[in-house]
Amino acid sequence: MSPSARPVARHPRMRTNALGLTPRDYEGAMSTLCAGCGHDSVTAALIQAFYQMDVEPHRVAKLSGIGCSSKTPTYFMSQAHGFNSVHGRMPSIAAGANAANRDLLFVGISGDGDSLSIGLGQFCHAIRRNVNMLYVLENNGVYALTKGQFSASADVGTRSKKGEVNRHGPIDPVNLALSLGATFVARSFSGDKRQLVPLLKAGLAHKGFAFIDVISPCVTFNDHVGSTKSYAHTRTHAHEVVETDFVQLKSRITADYEGGSTQAVTMHDGSVVRFSKVSEDYDPRDRGKVLRYLREVRNRGEVATGLLYLEESYEDLHEFENTVERPLVELEYETLCPGSKALAELQKEWW
Amino acid sequence: MSQVNDFAFKVATVNGTGSASANGLLLQALFRMGIPVSGKNVFPSNIQGLPTWYEIRVNKDGYTARSPHFQLMVAMNPKSYQQDIAEVDPGGWVLYDSTRELDAEMRRDDVTFYGIPLAAMCADRFEKARTRILMRNIGYVGALVALLDIEMDVVAGMLEEKFAAKRQLVDANMSAIAMGYDYAKEHFECPLPIRVERMDATRDSVMVTGNSATALGCVYAGATVGCWYPITPATGVMDAFTEYCQQFRVDPDSGKNNYCILQAEDELAAAGMVIGASWMGARSFTPTSGAGISLMSEFIGLAYYAEVPSVFVDVQRTGPSTGMPTRTQQGDLLLTAYASHGDTKHVCLYPADPKECFEFSVAAFDLAERFQTPVFLVSDLDIGMNDWMIPRLEWDDAYRPDRGKVLSAEDLDEMDAFYRYLDVDGDGIPYRTLPGTHPRGSYFTRGSGHDKWGRYTENSEAYLEVVDRLVVKIRSAAEHVPQPEIHTVEGGASVGIVSIGGCHWAVMEARDQLLADGLEVDYMRVRGFPFGEAVERFLETHEKIFVVEQNRDGQLRMLLSVETGCPKEKLVSIRNYGGQPLSKEHVLDPIRPQLEVVV
């Protein structure tokens, strides 16, 4: 047995989902990350989200780049297809894979180094293409595998474990995603599963690129006093702008969610995202207002969380490219090859 | 000097003035007259304003390699007069625009100058400034029709076809043709001693670029996902793929596409997209040039190690770095053979013309899937962007893609377990599954160390087992890549020539001449990598081997030295790497003196 294999032990009365699968069926290999790593909490939330969404594991493609966060696809859904690509380039693998087989569910796990430095370009272009996928950025502000260098999301004034102070302005992935036209933009905290799980579920149901920035503290290199990405700092500075509830299609929605401080958006598959505790001047469907509001929150030194922006009607990659409904990988060769007669005909133009 | 159907001429114009279509018209007219012909576009990396040239060679014997000897120069660009006029063979002709008279110092005593006031005549005849510029080109076509005795009916017929929907364009073009023709008839000795005469040597041929043929091969191979980043000289591949897909791949019921073309943000992303699509089971490819391969190299290593089938088309241009983007070279032979860090080796196919571009691009997908590895179609700018006369392409409707070892849901149902990198058959090729097929088919694709079970590993033995199997796998591809084309004299010569890709035509012409002169020499053109038995045997059975290629460092010679048992001393390097396609002179001049000593 591999050292990372998880012992199989099941409670006889363990609950099951609509597919008859238990939460255990959504687990992966044992994590090799540090004890207390925020990423492991995100993994646990993903397992819960997939379980609750009744997703067939083998119909999921889980992708990542390089770094601690990118190791995590190994730690959930062993029966899903994994692709641990090269540093910062997961979005291109996802785009090509999605182009070829639009029927699978795509989930990409990345980190702040992976998405905001080496892979900044690919991250931006996946948003522009609106690749239909859930993209989770596990954001801890440091390069941990290489022992604690600042990443591009490190805040000005934050201190490294060695005591250095970061002076470069951070790249805020939420702000960036909104500016680039992302259709689903959320932020959460690995320590807040109550918030994170519905966000992940909504992200999975979203048509297009669903981006979730998850502040996920690094217990080894960035959890000290003076760090703005520590557990303590995130707990005290996280500001839930909108509380989000995700109601899956199978639940047969009958209630009217509009009214009061609650807003509702119906996803393309019929599921509903319900926003509540929304302040008067906040509209998660108005990009301009969201950007302004988030700037104010940031200026107060707080971190806005929740499903910050949602647009369900925008074209995704396949609509842009006008591809057939069937996955391209399923098309029979006979429909793809024009044949000898067409070749003879075509060559008349080459005379 | 009387040369019927055996001469070359060059047209010197200004980039962006529409001369390309005029030159294409000339090439096609000659081709339709049944005369073997080739055209080489020598163009600048520029949109408008810089000098550009087009070389046409007609040859009744079918030799289509570039000829550096021009009997006629159509000098339409005063900025390049000096070099253009200097380039004409003694006894030849210069046709120039005499609207502005030539400076006296431009004149040569050993060539005949024919001045034709094209700009002035166009100013009289056409109103719009742009039309005047365009029609000046058609004007020199008209003059050449008279001077070279090109059949007017053929030219007129082509204009009718080309502008079928636009009557007034046909009229304008015919008027410009007549303008040049009439002037030439009246003022020059027509036809010149270099002239053409109808033949019947092109009936079974077509005229096409390598890039179009490559794209068509991708369509016929069943490729559904094309990813790319624009780069000269490979852009034409995706332009043509788009065109053919629009023609052949739109679902008639829904009007939707049975393909997806993604223009990536850079070559790194293009490579990633290809790998992602291929991982899912689509046939996917990217066309690029050497600079793009450099950027793709990290991903190429991933595809090699994680064993993801993928097709990379490298339309080579002159390197290193940005180099000369509009000039040809074979400078990526080593790059493609070993792209990426660590120990890697790749399957490469080397087409010599558009016909092989078509055939090899189909083969590339089959080999990629069969051996689960990146495959390179190594073309070049000369093959890719120039129009070539090739035998009409054929297609076997019985062809079905070789998908290699892919397990179906039914296969997986019957298996206890599936492991991605297990050498079940002992041939070095494992089984793969396509994502989404079956719960038992899942595995983890990774570029990090993995064992044969598909698990992450940092264990030496487990790592070695996988990378050593890859050696076996890639080596076994040697007998499945296109085998070398070999020409031998009866009984075999002791001296051989080895070449690659587009060198072929100049080498064949040079060899014919050597044979005619009584100098016996055998010839092998390698068409695939890794090299197999046939390559090894040719090298073994010849005492001295000239290796002809188009790069500075003798990369083919290096590959042969490293990848075969042939002692380096036997391999004599013959190189041409200034950016021009190979000519027979490049082969004959260095070989002949050495050959005469040996024989």
Side-chain angles (χ1 to χ4, degrees):
Chain A
M1 183 190 285
S2 135
S4 63
R6 203 185 275 269
V8 183
R10 273 177 194 171
H11 193 281
R13 288 198 304 277
M14 191 171 246
R15 64 204 157 96
T16 57
N17 64 9
L19 298 174
L21 299 175
T22 71
R24 277 290 165 88
D25 294 315
Y26 292 83
E27 290 176 352
M30 288 278 272
S31 171
T32 58
L33 300 175
C34 308
C37 177
H39 300 353
D40 284 335
S41 306
V42 182
T43 299
L46 277 162
I47 289 170
Q48 202 173 322
F50 279 113
Y51 167 78
Q52 291 176 2
M53 295 279 283
D54 305 317
V55 170
E56 282 184 280
H58 79 281
R59 302 294 293 171
V60 173
K62 45 180 189 174
L63 304 99
S64 63
I66 294 293
C68 289
S69 56
S70 290
K71 286 170 175 259
T72 66
T74 321
Y75 313 143
F76 63 89
M77 283 206 292
S78 298
Q79 285 187 14
H81 287 260
F83 201 127
N84 191 188
S85 70
V86 298
H87 203 6
R89 318 288 175 213
M90 172 265 281
S92 62
I93 297 280
N98 185 287
N101 191 348
R102 60 188 298 171
D103 276 2
L104 298 192
L105 205 50
F106 290 86
V107 55
I109 312 292
S110 183
D112 36 317
D114 201 55
S115 283
L116 302 180
S117 288
I118 192 167
L120 184 64
Q122 295 218 341
F123 173 64
C124 294
H125 287 274
I127 292 172
R128 288 184 64 229
R129 269 180 208 105
N130 207 17
V131 179
N132 191 5
M133 70 184 297
L134 168 63
Y135 191 102
V136 180
L137 195 164
E138 299 179 351
N139 190 346
N140 59 16
V142 286
Y143 288 88
L145 270 179
T146 50
K147 313 242 182 280
Q149 300 79 14
F150 289 123
S151 83
S153 73
D155 295 305
V156 173
T158 192
R159 262 172 209 285
S160 75
K161 197 176 182 182
K162 286 183 191 160
E164 292 157 317
V165 175
N166 177 50
R167 299 169 59 156
H168 298 295
I171 296 175
D172 173 3
V174 162
N175 199 24
L176 180 67
L178 280 167
S179 310
L180 290 167
T183 51
F184 179 115
V185 181
R187 176 149 48 208
S188 190
F189 170 42
S190 64
D192 187 355
K193 210 170 179 182
R194 176 197 58 81
Q195 183 192 48
L196 183 54
V197 172
L199 288 179
L200 292 169
K201 286 159 70 177
L204 286 169
H206 176 63
K207 185 199 81 176
F209 192 81
F211 174 64
I212 308 182
D213 177 31
V214 185
I215 308 299
S216 176
C218 173
V219 287
T220 305
F221 291 105
N222 210 7
D223 198 30
H224 44 270
V225 175
S227 158
T228 58
K229 294 274 193 299
S230 66
Y231 277 108
H233 188 275
T234 309
R235 281 210 182 90
T236 49
H237 291 76
H239 168 63
E240 191 168 36
V241 175
V242 283
E243 195 179 294
T244 316
D245 188 18
F246 175 74
V247 186
Q248 216 176 323
L249 174 63
K250 64 175 180 182
S251 316
R252 303 244 172 249
I253 309 139
T254 49
D256 176 12
Y257 294 108
E258 293 284 353
S261 62
T262 303
Q263 297 174 7
V265 173
T266 306
M267 316 288 281
H268 79 293
D269 69 350
S271 305
V272 170
V273 171
R274 226 172 7 168
F275 298 91
S276 53
K277 280 198 204 164
V278 184
S279 71
E280 294 265 317
D281 53 347
Y282 194 88
D283 181 355
R285 289 167 293 187
D286 184 330
R287 194 183 296 274
K289 272 190 189 165
V290 170
L291 277 163
R292 277 194 298 279
Y293 190 87
L294 294 184
R295 197 182 312 128
E296 287 165 24
V297 173
R298 194 173 59 223
N299 288 346
R300 293 202 300 267
E302 292 178 343
V303 182
T305 66
L307 179 41
L308 304 167
Y309 179 78
L310 177 61
E311 181 185 346
E312 270 299 286
S313 56
Y314 204 64
E315 291 173 299
D316 72 353
L317 179 147
H318 285 278
E319 286 163 328
F320 282 133
E321 304 300 334
N322 191 34
T323 49
V324 287
E325 295 297 325
R326 270 177 77 197
L328 295 176
V329 288
E330 288 179 11
L331 300 178
E332 297 79 13
Y333 175 69
E334 290 69 20
T335 65
L336 300 174
C337 180
S340 59
K341 272 190 197 147
L343 184 63
E345 195 59 32
L346 176 75
Q347 289 182 92
K348 288 180 184 166
E349 292 167 27
W350 296 355
W351 165 250
Chain B
M1 181 154 73
S2 170
Q3 289 168 278
V4 177
N5 293 347
D6 185 14
F7 58 92
F9 64 100
K10 188 167 180 174
V11 182
T13 53
V14 178
N15 200 39
T17 58
S19 53
S21 56
N23 299 331
L25 196 68
L26 278 169
L27 187 76
Q28 203 180 356
L30 296 164
F31 175 69
R32 286 194 179 183
M33 284 179 66
I35 309 161
V37 63
S38 63
K40 304 287 182 200
N41 192 10
V42 184
F43 60 102
S45 179
N46 161 262
I47 294 170
Q48 206 172 67
L50 289 183
T52 187
W53 296 270
Y54 197 71
E55 305 170 355
I56 291 180
R57 180 186 185 189
V58 290
N59 184 278
K60 58 181 185 301
D61 299 317
Y63 294 127
T64 54
R66 174 177 184 260
S67 167
H69 296 292
F70 304 105
Q71 285 81 51
L72 167 65
M73 179 67 64
V74 182
M76 292 292 134
N77 182 4
K79 282 189 185 150
S80 62
Y81 270 173
Q82 197 154 16
Q83 79 176 82
D84 296 337
I85 290 167
E87 241 185 289
V88 187
D89 273 7
W93 295 265
V94 173
L95 179 72
Y96 68 98
D97 189 336
S98 57
T99 305
R100 229 185 75 195
E101 210 24 82
L102 268 187
D103 290 346
E105 71 260 28
M106 295 283 183
R107 300 258 171 195
R108 277 172 57 183
D109 297 335
D110 56 348
V111 297
T112 307
F113 285 85
Y114 282 151
I116 175 169
L118 284 171
M121 290 195 294
C122 285
D124 288 344
R125 209 174 274 232
F126 304 105
E127 262 178 41
K128 290 184 193 153
R130 182 69 188 163
T131 312
R132 287 173 180 175
I133 292 171
L134 292 174
M135 290 308 152
R136 184 169 169 256
N137 298 316
I138 303 301
Y140 71 67
V141 172
L144 290 172
V145 167
L147 286 167
L148 303 178
D149 217 4
I150 296 171
E151 290 175 16
M152 183 62 95
D153 288 354
V154 172
V155 176
M158 279 165 31
L159 289 172
E160 292 279 352
E161 275 172 42
K162 192 174 175 190
F163 302 114
K166 297 171 188 163
R167 187 69 243 167
Q168 69 203 82
L169 278 177
V170 178
D171 294 344
N173 276 274
M174 279 315 296
S175 157
I177 293 268
M179 171 187 86
Y181 181 87
D182 293 344
Y183 189 94
K185 278 281 187 191
E186 199 174 317
H187 296 86
F188 313 145
E189 168 207 354
C190 291
L192 296 177
I194 53 161
R195 61 184 179 85
V196 294
E197 231 173 60
R198 179 167 278 278
M199 283 177 70
D200 188 21
T202 65
R203 182 198 297 267
D204 298 320
S205 300
V206 289
M207 189 68 92
V208 69
T209 66
N211 284 348
S212 289
T214 298
L216 196 63
C218 293
V219 172
Y220 273 72
T224 51
V225 181
C227 313
W228 71 304
Y229 185 75
I231 185 170
T232 303
T235 298
V237 176
M238 203 47 98
D239 286 347
F241 186 71
T242 307
E243 188 187 316
Y244 297 139
C245 282
Q246 285 165 353
Q247 190 173 349
F248 298 120
R249 289 282 192 79
V250 178
D251 179 53
D253 298 328
S254 63
K256 294 191 173 192
N257 300 332
N258 281 327
Y259 65 93
C260 183
I261 295 170
L262 297 173
Q263 184 183 318
E265 53 269 34
D266 52 34
E267 282 91 347
L268 293 82
M273 290 169 179
V274 167
I275 292 167
S278 301
W279 168 52
M280 283 289 148
R283 286 194 153 189
S284 179
F285 71 101
T286 182
T288 187
S289 192
I293 299 287
S294 289
L295 289 174
M296 293 175 181
S297 289
E298 187 185 23
F299 257 141
I300 290 165
L302 172 84
Y304 168 82
Y305 187 31
E307 303 181 63
V308 184
S310 37
V311 172
F312 297 82
V313 178
D314 179 2
V315 187
Q316 300 168 97
R317 66 189 206 190
T318 306
S321 188
T322 305
M324 298 196 285
T326 60
R327 297 288 185 272
T328 198
Q329 204 173 61
Q330 296 174 322
D332 302 341
L333 302 182
L334 290 174
L335 175 68
T336 48
Y338 303 116
S340 207
H341 55 276
D343 293 316
T344 55
K345 191 186 288 186
H346 309 297
V347 175
C348 298
L349 313 179
Y350 310 110
D353 65 10
K355 182 174 192 291
E356 287 189 340
C357 285
F358 176 73
E359 293 165 356
F360 289 7
S361 60
V362 177
F365 287 98
D366 284 344
L367 290 163
E369 293 208 277
R370 181 164 188 164
F371 293 98
Q372 299 175 21
T373 198
V375 172
F376 292 82
L377 182 73
V378 188
S379 170
D380 64 37
L381 181 142
D382 177 29
I383 299 170
M385 292 189 73
N386 285 319
D387 279 305
W388 287 63
M389 195 182 85
I390 55 160
R392 190 168 284 121
L393 301 178
E394 281 170 17
W395 184 253
D396 177 4
D397 287 319
Y399 168 85
R400 288 296 173 275
D402 180 354
R403 304 301 311 266
K405 298 182 187 179
V406 180
L407 294 172
S408 66
E410 295 73 40
D411 295 334
L412 288 158
D413 257 339
E414 287 170 20
M415 295 169 69
D416 293 330
F418 161 71
Y419 299 105
R420 174 68 178 91
Y421 298 113
L422 210 54
D423 189 2
V424 178
D425 301 330
D427 59 358
I429 307 172
Y431 284 82
R432 69 181 174 122
T433 58
L434 305 182
T437 309
H438 193 281
R440 206 171 286 145
S442 66
Y443 66 95
F444 216 99
T445 301
R446 50 164 67 87
S448 46
H450 47 270
D451 62 18
K452 63 185 173 188
W453 313 107
R455 298 174 309 199
Y456 179 86
T457 192
E458 292 175 10
N459 173 283
S460 297
E461 286 74 26
Y463 162 83
L464 291 173
E465 230 178 338
V466 173
V467 293
D468 289 344
R469 175 179 56 74
L470 293 179
V471 174
V472 175
K473 182 180 86 165
I474 299 297
R475 193 188 293 139
S476 72
E479 301 306 323
H480 297 271
V481 298
Q483 294 301 295
E485 177 179 329
I486 294 173
H487 300 265
T488 51
V489 298
E490 212 180 307
S494 62
V495 175
I497 298 176
V498 175
S499 88
I500 189 165
C503 294
H504 181 64
W505 310 97
V507 174
M508 286 293 280
E509 187 179 353
R511 177 172 178 263
D512 283 353
Q513 194 151 335
L514 292 171
L515 293 179
D517 295 348
L519 298 169
E520 295 206 328
V521 57
D522 291 340
Y523 170 49
M524 170 176 74
R525 173 170 64 95
V526 296
R527 305 199 304 164
F529 181 80
F531 303 129
E533 271 301 305
V535 172
E536 198 81 50
R537 209 173 321 116
F538 185 92
L539 299 176
E540 256 170 42
T541 51
H542 291 83
E543 286 164 25
K544 184 170 188 169
I545 296 151
F546 296 99
V547 184
V548 180
E549 56 188 309
Q550 299 180 72
N551 56 67
R552 185 192 67 184
D553 293 345
Q555 296 186 22
L556 174 58
R557 181 173 176 270
M558 284 194 227
L559 271 185
L560 291 167
S561 309
V562 172
E563 298 283 347
T564 72
C566 182
K568 210 158 83 177
E569 300 70 41
K570 267 169 70 167
L571 303 171
V572 182
S573 194
I574 307 287
R575 290 151 294 139
N576 164 62
Y577 48 92
Q580 296 289 3
L582 201 71
S583 304
K584 70 171 179 195
E585 289 79 1
H586 291 124
V587 185
L588 284 175
D589 294 351
I591 287 185
R592 200 197 290 269
Q594 300 193 53
L595 207 57
E596 279 161 350
V597 174
V598 173
V599 175

